[in-house]
């Protein structure tokens, strides 16, 4: 499948060999145990270890992450389960781990756990490849690019080269980009990690995460961690996720195209500051993004003058849900500062572009902005 287009690959990924009178994608397997006589040498023994539905999904994700190459993919019950599996399976007491200080707001919770186990954690911003300055002696470098919610981009190749030359492993949180936008393993990373709750599954109805790596030993360590902590997805969630991958390219292409249109329109609004979208040629991250990304994602961020202005804007939207998360077919937006934990202004908006008709979405956005401005 390495020579196929992204759409074909997404539709066909992970399907078993055709069997007469059998479905193309077998239904979910609900089983805690399997018939198992003699030595437990088969592929399926117990439901916390392996499941045929997971196998199909893991193969599918692997084919998207690294077409035509052998990789190890492990699916998890959530994105945070996948993130924790990499960090906590690799770091030991006395190790150094480097995290972004502008990444997903739950990363500080993982930092607390790491430090409680005697791991030194250093942080630096994503932008400007600032993590390079604190890399010395690290066991693992964690990259999030584009960062959430600020949408900064770092040079993955540059960071990987510096890390590997010092014996440091590299993990990339690829949630915002998805494998159709960016392939961290091709850029040299050891782990590609994502919350598949977001763009990968795209319907806002599944919690899921995954880790993909080339090295079988690293992959085995991650899989062992899943077994030990039991952070496993349900078979139905795994099956729904696999089904959702078939429309990945269709969804992502529509969302990315509309996100760029939205960003261009927002750039002309006098009340908007701090506009960020990696695919916008005027964005500070564009020079880096265009060298390593094939699609630039569905999320646009910007700042309105204050909290009240932002809340008026959100209340005025009719086709956009005021909700957290991103990457779904239904557009969402939120005032990110309401959660705390992100170093953003009170009027900061994270806008996730869905699959609505672009003209309808733009009209809704413009109308809500006009109404919010009029209320000032």
């Amino acid at each position: 499948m390495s020579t196929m287009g992204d759409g074909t690959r997404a539709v066909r990924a992970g399907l078993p060999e055709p069997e007469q009178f059998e479905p193309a994608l077998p239904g979910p397997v609900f089983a805690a145990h399997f018939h198992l006589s003699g030595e437990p040498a088969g592929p399926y023994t117990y439901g916390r270890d392996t499941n045929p539905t997971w196998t199909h999904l893991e193969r599918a994700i692997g084919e998207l992450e690294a077409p035509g190459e052998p990789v190890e993919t492990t699916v998890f019950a959530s994105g945070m389960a996948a993130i924790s599996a990499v960090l906590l399976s690799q770091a030991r007491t006395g190790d150094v781990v480097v995290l972004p200080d502008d990444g997903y707001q739950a990363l500080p919770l993982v930092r607390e756990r790491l430090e409680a186990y005697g791991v030194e954690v250093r942080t630096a911003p994503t932008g400007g490849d600032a993590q390079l300055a604190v890399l010395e002696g690290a066991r693992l470098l964690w990259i999030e690019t584009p960062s959430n919610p600020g949408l900064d981009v770092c040079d993955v190749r540059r960071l990987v080269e510096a890390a590997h030359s010092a014996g440091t492993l590299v993990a990339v949180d690829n949630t915002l980009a998805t494998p159709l936008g960016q392939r961290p393993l091709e850029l040299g990373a050891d782990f590609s990690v994502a919350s598949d709750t977001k763009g990968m599954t795209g319907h806002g109805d599944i919690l899921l995460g995954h880790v993909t790596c080339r090295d079988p030993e690293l992959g085995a360590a991650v899989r062992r961690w899943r077994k030990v902590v039991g952070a496993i997805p349900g078979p139905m969630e795994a099956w729904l996720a696999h089904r959702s991958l078939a429309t990945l390219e269709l969804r992502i292409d529509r969302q990315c195209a509309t996100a760029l249109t939205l960003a261009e329109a927002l750039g002309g609004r006098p009340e908007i500051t701090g506009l960020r979208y990696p695919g916008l040629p005027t964005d500070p991250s564009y020079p880096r993004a265009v060298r390593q990304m094939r699609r630039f994602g569905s999320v646009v961020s910007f700042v309105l003058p204050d909290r009240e202005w932002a809340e008026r804007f959100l209340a005025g939207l009719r086709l956009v849900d005021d909700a957290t998360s991103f990457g779904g077919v239904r557009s969402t937006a939120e005032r990110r500062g309401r959660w705390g934990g992100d170093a953003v202004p009170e009027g900061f908006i994270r806008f996730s572009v869905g699959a609505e008709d672009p003209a309808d979405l733009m009209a809704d956005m413009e109308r809500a902005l006009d109404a919010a401005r009029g209320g000032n």
Side-chain angles (χ1 to χ4, degrees):
M1 293 181 68
S2 58
T3 60
M4 292 182 180
D6 285 341
T8 304
R9 187 177 297 110
V11 168
R12 306 294 307 179
L15 297 180
E17 288 297 317
E19 287 190 38
Q20 187 77 340
F21 310 120
E22 293 294 324
L25 176 60
V29 174
F30 299 97
H33 60 264
F34 301 81
H35 290 294
L36 188 65
S37 58
E39 294 298 317
Y44 304 108
T45 58
Y46 183 63
R48 194 181 71 256
D49 299 339
T50 50
N51 177 288
T53 310
W54 302 349
T55 299
H56 292 139
L57 176 60
E58 288 170 345
R59 288 174 181 166
I61 293 173
E63 289 170 15
L64 296 174
E65 287 276 12
E69 298 185 37
V71 292
E72 300 283 334
T73 296
T74 305
V75 291
F76 289 86
S78 69
M80 279 306 299
I83 289 169
S84 300
V86 173
L87 288 166
L88 296 174
S89 71
Q90 296 303 314
R92 301 288 184 270
T93 300
D95 284 346
V96 174
V97 170
V98 176
L99 302 177
D101 64 12
D102 55 347
Y104 179 51
Q105 65 170 249
L107 274 181
L109 302 178
V110 184
R111 176 179 183 169
E112 290 178 8
R113 288 294 90 213
L114 289 168
E115 290 177 335
Y117 297 147
V119 176
E120 179 187 344
V121 179
R122 302 173 190 158
T123 63
T126 299
D129 300 340
Q131 289 173 297
L132 286 172
V134 294
L135 198 55
E136 184 178 354
R139 161 69 178 168
L140 177 68
L141 167 64
W142 187 273
I143 296 170
E144 186 178 305
T145 181
S147 61
N148 172 30
L151 302 183
D152 269 322
V153 172
C154 61
D155 187 333
V156 176
R157 291 186 185 91
R158 182 187 181 200
L159 286 165
V160 165
E161 182 178 352
H164 284 176
S165 67
T168 302
L169 295 170
V170 181
V172 176
D173 185 331
N174 201 41
T175 301
L176 269 158
T178 81
L180 266 61
Q182 180 174 262
R183 293 191 183 127
L185 300 184
E186 288 186 358
L187 300 173
D190 299 289
F191 303 92
S192 180
V193 188
S195 168
D196 301 318
T197 307
K198 314 299 194 300
M200 280 285 275
T201 58
H203 290 79
D205 54 7
I206 303 169
L207 288 171
L208 201 78
H210 81 267
V211 178
T212 301
C213 51
R214 284 198 178 93
D215 187 322
E217 290 188 11
L218 294 177
V222 169
R223 195 169 289 263
R224 279 195 302 272
W225 183 263
R226 181 181 69 179
K227 177 179 179 178
V228 169
V229 300
I232 59 173
M236 191 66 191
E237 286 78 4
W239 184 86
L240 287 170
H242 197 167
R243 180 209 60 175
S244 298
L245 289 182
T247 60
L248 180 60
E249 189 209 33
L250 297 173
R251 292 185 279 107
I252 294 295
D253 280 353
R254 176 67 165 262
Q255 290 168 294
C256 290
T258 306
L260 179 58
T261 300
L262 178 76
E264 291 169 342
L266 289 169
R269 301 284 308 205
E271 71 271 39
I272 298 291
T273 58
L275 174 66
R276 299 300 304 270
Y277 182 65
L280 196 64
T282 55
D283 189 274
S285 287
Y286 182 79
R288 285 187 177 89
V290 77
R291 290 198 300 268
Q292 66 191 27
M293 299 182 73
R294 299 179 300 128
R295 295 171 175 85
F296 300 104
S298 63
V299 177
V300 179
S301 67
F302 55 94
V303 181
L304 289 167
D306 53 40
R307 173 176 178 166
E308 290 72 23
W309 201 309
E311 290 177 347
R312 288 197 302 271
F313 165 65
L314 293 170
L317 293 166
R318 296 292 176 265
L319 299 179
V320 182
D321 297 331
D322 188 345
T324 197
S325 200
F326 56 86
V329 291
R330 288 175 289 278
S331 292
T332 61
E334 69 171 335
R335 191 182 68 80
R336 193 63 186 163
R338 66 182 176 175
W339 295 99
D342 291 317
V344 295
E346 284 294 308
F348 181 97
I349 300 291
R350 185 180 69 184
F351 196 113
S352 174
V353 176
E356 298 89 355
D357 280 279
D360 295 336
L361 192 60
M362 296 299 297
D364 191 44
M365 182 272 297
E366 294 280 3
R367 184 189 50 73
L369 284 172
D370 289 341
R373 184 178 181 84
N376 185 43

